[in-house]
Short mmCIF file of all heavy atoms in Angstrom, two decimals:
data_model
loop_
_atom_site.label_atom_id
_atom_site.label_comp_id
_atom_site.label_asym_id
_atom_site.label_seq_id
_atom_site.Cartn_x
_atom_site.Cartn_y
_atom_site.Cartn_z
N ASP A 29 76.56 68.30 18.99
CA ASP A 29 76.30 69.03 17.75
C ASP A 29 76.46 68.13 16.54
O ASP A 29 75.72 68.25 15.56
CB ASP A 29 77.27 70.22 17.61
CG ASP A 29 76.88 71.35 18.56
OD1 ASP A 29 75.76 71.29 19.12
OD2 ASP A 29 77.69 72.28 18.76
N GLN A 30 77.40 67.20 16.61
CA GLN A 30 77.63 66.30 15.48
C GLN A 30 76.74 65.06 15.52
O GLN A 30 76.47 64.45 14.50
CB GLN A 30 79.11 65.87 15.46
CG GLN A 30 80.03 67.03 15.10
CD GLN A 30 81.49 66.60 15.19
OE1 GLN A 30 82.00 65.93 14.30
NE2 GLN A 30 82.14 66.97 16.27
N PHE A 31 76.31 64.69 16.74
CA PHE A 31 75.50 63.48 16.87
C PHE A 31 74.02 63.74 16.58
O PHE A 31 73.33 62.89 16.04
CB PHE A 31 75.69 62.89 18.28
CG PHE A 31 75.15 61.50 18.43
CD1 PHE A 31 75.58 60.48 17.60
CD2 PHE A 31 74.20 61.20 19.41
CE1 PHE A 31 75.08 59.19 17.72
CE2 PHE A 31 73.71 59.91 19.55
CZ PHE A 31 74.15 58.91 18.71
N ASP A 32 73.57 64.95 16.91
CA ASP A 32 72.17 65.32 16.71
C ASP A 32 71.62 65.01 15.31
O ASP A 32 70.55 64.40 15.19
CB ASP A 32 72.00 66.83 16.98
CG ASP A 32 71.62 67.09 18.44
OD1 ASP A 32 71.71 66.15 19.25
OD2 ASP A 32 71.23 68.23 18.75
N PRO A 33 72.33 65.43 14.24
CA PRO A 33 71.81 65.16 12.89
C PRO A 33 71.57 63.68 12.62
O PRO A 33 70.62 63.31 11.93
CB PRO A 33 72.90 65.72 11.97
CG PRO A 33 73.65 66.70 12.80
CD PRO A 33 73.58 66.21 14.20
N LEU A 34 72.42 62.83 13.20
CA LEU A 34 72.25 61.38 13.02
C LEU A 34 70.97 60.90 13.67
O LEU A 34 70.26 60.03 13.14
CB LEU A 34 73.42 60.64 13.66
CG LEU A 34 74.73 60.56 12.90
CD1 LEU A 34 75.72 59.70 13.67
CD2 LEU A 34 74.48 59.95 11.53
N LEU A 35 70.68 61.47 14.85
CA LEU A 35 69.45 61.09 15.55
C LEU A 35 68.24 61.61 14.79
O LEU A 35 67.24 60.90 14.63
CB LEU A 35 69.46 61.64 16.97
CG LEU A 35 70.43 61.01 17.97
CD1 LEU A 35 70.35 61.71 19.32
CD2 LEU A 35 70.14 59.52 18.14
N ILE A 36 68.34 62.85 14.34
CA ILE A 36 67.22 63.47 13.62
C ILE A 36 66.90 62.67 12.35
O ILE A 36 65.74 62.41 12.04
CB ILE A 36 67.52 64.95 13.30
CG1 ILE A 36 67.52 65.76 14.62
CG2 ILE A 36 66.49 65.53 12.33
CD1 ILE A 36 68.03 67.18 14.51
N ALA A 37 67.97 62.21 11.67
CA ALA A 37 67.77 61.44 10.44
C ALA A 37 66.98 60.17 10.70
O ALA A 37 66.18 59.73 9.89
CB ALA A 37 69.12 61.10 9.81
N LYS A 38 67.19 59.57 11.85
CA LYS A 38 66.51 58.30 12.13
C LYS A 38 65.18 58.49 12.88
O LYS A 38 64.20 57.84 12.59
CB LYS A 38 67.44 57.40 12.95
CG LYS A 38 66.76 56.08 13.31
CD LYS A 38 67.71 55.01 13.77
CE LYS A 38 66.90 53.82 14.28
NZ LYS A 38 67.58 52.56 14.14
N PHE A 39 65.18 59.41 13.85
CA PHE A 39 64.01 59.50 14.73
C PHE A 39 63.15 60.74 14.50
O PHE A 39 62.08 60.88 15.09
CB PHE A 39 64.46 59.50 16.20
CG PHE A 39 65.19 58.26 16.61
CD1 PHE A 39 66.57 58.27 16.78
CD2 PHE A 39 64.51 57.08 16.83
CE1 PHE A 39 67.26 57.13 17.17
CE2 PHE A 39 65.19 55.93 17.22
CZ PHE A 39 66.56 55.95 17.38
N GLY A 40 63.64 61.67 13.70
CA GLY A 40 62.90 62.92 13.53
C GLY A 40 63.23 63.91 14.64
O GLY A 40 63.80 63.53 15.67
N LYS A 41 62.85 65.16 14.42
CA LYS A 41 63.22 66.23 15.36
C LYS A 41 62.56 66.08 16.73
O LYS A 41 63.19 66.25 17.76
CB LYS A 41 62.83 67.59 14.76
CG LYS A 41 63.96 68.19 13.95
CD LYS A 41 63.77 69.67 13.73
CE LYS A 41 65.04 70.26 13.13
NZ LYS A 41 64.84 71.53 12.47
N GLU A 42 61.29 65.75 16.71
CA GLU A 42 60.52 65.70 17.96
C GLU A 42 61.08 64.64 18.92
O GLU A 42 61.32 64.89 20.08
CB GLU A 42 59.07 65.38 17.62
CG GLU A 42 58.08 65.95 18.62
CD GLU A 42 56.65 65.73 18.14
OE1 GLU A 42 56.32 66.16 17.01
OE2 GLU A 42 55.90 65.08 18.89
N MET A 43 61.28 63.46 18.35
CA MET A 43 61.81 62.34 19.14
C MET A 43 63.24 62.65 19.61
O MET A 43 63.60 62.35 20.75
CB MET A 43 61.79 61.08 18.27
CG MET A 43 62.04 59.81 19.03
SD MET A 43 60.68 59.46 20.14
CE MET A 43 60.74 57.68 20.12
#
Side-chain angles (χ1 to χ4, degrees):
D29 285 348
Q30 291 176 78
F31 192 56
D32 268 12
L34 280 184
L35 289 178
I36 291 170
K38 178 164 172 152
F39 299 104
K41 270 198 170 160
E42 209 174 304
M43 192 68 149

